[in-house]
Amino acid sequence: GKGTKNIRTNVSVRSTYGVELAHVIGPSNLVISEQAMPAPAIETGSAVHDFSMVMADANSAITFYFNASKVGLLDRCTYIQFIVTATDEAGGSVSRVITRRLVTTSSKEAYLKSVDIGVTTVAIGKKAVRMASNLQNPALASEDICNRMYNTIGFFRRCCERKQELFPGCLEAIPKQLFNLLRGPCIGSIIQHEDDIECVRDMYLKASFEDCIRLTSPLLMCLSRHKLIQAGRPPAVDPKLLETLLVRVPLETLALQSNSILILDHHTDILIWSGAEMKGIEYDVVRTTCIQMVEQWCVGRYPYPNIMQFSEGDSMARFLEARLVPSHKDSEFQQLKSFPILAQLDKYQLKELREK
């Protein structure tokens, strides 16, 4: 849910029989004495839960977790309903009813196709971050994520005909995004001061889906020298034109190619990395334009991110390298699958990139 400052929001959650609300993460309090907006239940025996929220800013959100019992739910429709009432200081109020139909199935294939990668990753990530915050032990949160992935792999290996497939292909992005979360500021060791760590964790637990995605699946954009040459000289001094030249690349170490400039948006930090062939003064105008472009990305964002720039070989480059999946250690088949562009490099260029 979203709101603005000084808006008090009440949320009433209703679900059909067999679907139970298990957890709530975000800026909310359970209301026991009265309902925010009295309304009949969806069906006999359905659960009703009421929450009050004070939204800190327009990007605040709460996350609901539901459990479904196995009895009588297969191959039928269930419903979850949210009744949201927002009241301002003057006493005016607006209500909205949101009803979602969930179709249950006994088909594994149909279930896998219905999984939303981003929502699943954020939901798992918020549980882990809350554990790290409550227990003051990020190692336990990291272990919880690893155990979830291990149990998921074990489940699918038991029921999968192709035993060599460790993880369903349609879900393979989830472990990678959770790996990014483990190395990021919420659970990883990038931030050293405890107060800063708690600030980022608290922000993540209350943040909207879009903000959480930047922390669990950061955007890594590549500006290649080839693209700049095609654009002409002086190379792309207009931020809008420069943005059209950016290409998203996997968040992996194989992206550290010397003939490119990389921009990583990790929500709390934006890193600009220049390869060895792009760190000359002739590309200073490009870097200046990059800073202007990312400043436009940050308009309205809280907290305002740290914008850092460095070049290949600098000691500061470790801030970027520490956040990347070490794909240079993968097999050649896996590397080509993640980076098809590697097929254009000769064996000497590949060897230099892998050993960099």
Side-chain angles (χ1 to χ4, degrees):
K2 293 186 176 181
T4 56
K5 193 173 182 180
N6 300 323
I7 297 292
R8 186 168 188 85
T9 308
N10 291 303
V11 181
S12 182
V13 184
R14 290 160 167 76
S15 58
T16 53
Y17 178 75
V19 178
E20 301 174 348
L21 181 63
H23 302 284
V24 178
I25 296 179
S28 62
N29 297 306
L30 179 64
V31 177
I32 300 177
S33 59
E34 58 180 359
Q35 292 187 359
M37 181 179 176
I42 295 179
E43 63 180 20
T44 304
S46 62
V48 179
H49 303 276
D50 296 299
F51 301 88
S52 65
M53 303 189 309
V54 178
M55 309 305 287
D57 57 71
N59 290 322
S60 297
I62 56 176
T63 307
F64 296 97
Y65 298 80
F66 294 87
N67 287 334
S69 63
K70 296 181 180 180
V71 181
L73 286 183
L74 288 180
D75 300 310
R76 56 163 287 190
C77 294
T78 61
Y79 295 87
I80 298 175
Q81 188 176 79
F82 303 90
I83 303 177
V84 184
T85 304
T87 307
D88 60 20
E89 293 179 328
S93 63
V94 176
S95 299
R96 182 183 179 188
V97 179
I98 306 170
T99 304
R100 289 290 181 263
R101 185 182 71 167
L102 304 177
V103 181
T104 59
T105 179
S106 56
S107 169
K108 186 190 70 174
E109 291 75 15
Y111 171 73
L112 291 177
K113 290 180 179 179
S114 70
V115 175
D116 187 303
I117 301 298
V119 172
T120 301
T121 303
V122 169
I124 296 175
K126 286 202 174 191
K127 274 192 172 183
V129 172
R130 185 182 63 174
M131 179 184 296
S133 182
N134 291 344
L135 301 180
Q136 295 293 316
N137 190 345
L140 292 178
S142 177
E143 183 180 353
D144 178 71
I145 289 180
C146 292
N147 287 337
R148 286 179 184 272
M149 293 299 99
Y150 178 81
N151 293 336
T152 302
I153 290 173
F155 170 78
F156 284 109
R157 291 204 71 178
R158 287 193 301 270
C159 62
C160 184
E161 296 179 359
R162 298 169 57 190
K163 297 300 181 181
Q164 70 273 20
E165 184 178 18
L166 293 180
F167 213 82
C170 57
L171 303 183
E172 63 181 6
I174 294 178
K176 290 184 178 181
Q177 293 184 10
L178 291 175
F179 181 84
N180 297 332
L181 180 67
L182 293 178
R183 296 171 74 96
C186 292
I187 301 179
S189 56
I190 292 177
I191 302 178
Q192 300 295 327
H193 198 281
E194 292 184 1
D195 291 343
D196 294 336
I197 295 173
E198 281 306 308
C199 180
V200 173
R201 288 175 180 168
D202 183 69
M203 179 273 297
Y204 182 81
L205 293 177
K206 298 177 181 179
S208 65
F209 174 75
E210 292 79 8
D211 291 348
C212 290
I213 280 293
R214 289 196 197 98
L215 284 165
T216 53
S217 182
L219 194 66
L220 182 62
M221 306 301 292
C222 175
L223 177 63
S224 67
R225 184 173 59 180
H226 177 68
K227 289 278 188 180
L228 285 174
I229 293 175
Q230 287 183 331
R233 295 185 181 278
V237 293
D238 180 17
K240 292 184 178 179
L241 174 60
L242 184 65
E243 193 164 5
T244 63
L245 303 178
L246 296 178
V247 177
R248 185 171 185 176
V249 294
L251 196 72
E252 301 177 6
T253 52
L254 289 176
L256 298 171
Q257 301 185 27
S258 299
N259 62 348
S260 62
I261 294 177
L262 299 178
I263 303 174
L264 175 68
D265 185 358
H266 211 168
H267 189 68
T268 56
D269 298 300
I270 295 182
L271 312 178
I272 302 174
W273 178 91
S274 298
E277 300 175 17
M278 303 284 284
K279 62 182 182 181
I281 59 174
E282 65 271 23
Y283 292 103
D284 284 349
V285 63
V286 179
R287 280 182 282 274
T288 300
T289 308
C290 286
I291 293 177
Q292 296 173 356
M293 180 183 63
V294 300
E295 285 176 345
Q296 294 176 2
W297 295 355
C298 302
V299 173
R301 188 184 300 186
Y302 179 83
Y304 194 86
N306 300 314
I307 301 176
M308 296 180 282
Q309 59 174 325
F310 36 76
S311 301
E312 182 179 352
D314 293 350
S315 61
M316 290 287 289
R318 70 185 187 276
F319 281 95
L320 174 63
E321 296 165 2
R323 303 169 198 244
L324 303 180
V325 176
S327 57
H328 62 283
K329 299 179 181 180
D330 292 341
S331 65
E332 293 187 16
F333 172 79
Q334 188 62 40
Q335 289 177 353
L336 288 173
K337 182 180 178 181
S338 300
F339 277 88
I341 195 174
L342 295 181
Q344 302 176 10
L345 305 180
D346 58 43
K347 61 179 181 180
Y348 299 105
Q349 292 173 319
L350 280 174
K351 181 179 179 182
E352 181 182 1
L353 178 61
R354 290 164 179 156
E355 296 179 352
K356 184 180 298 184

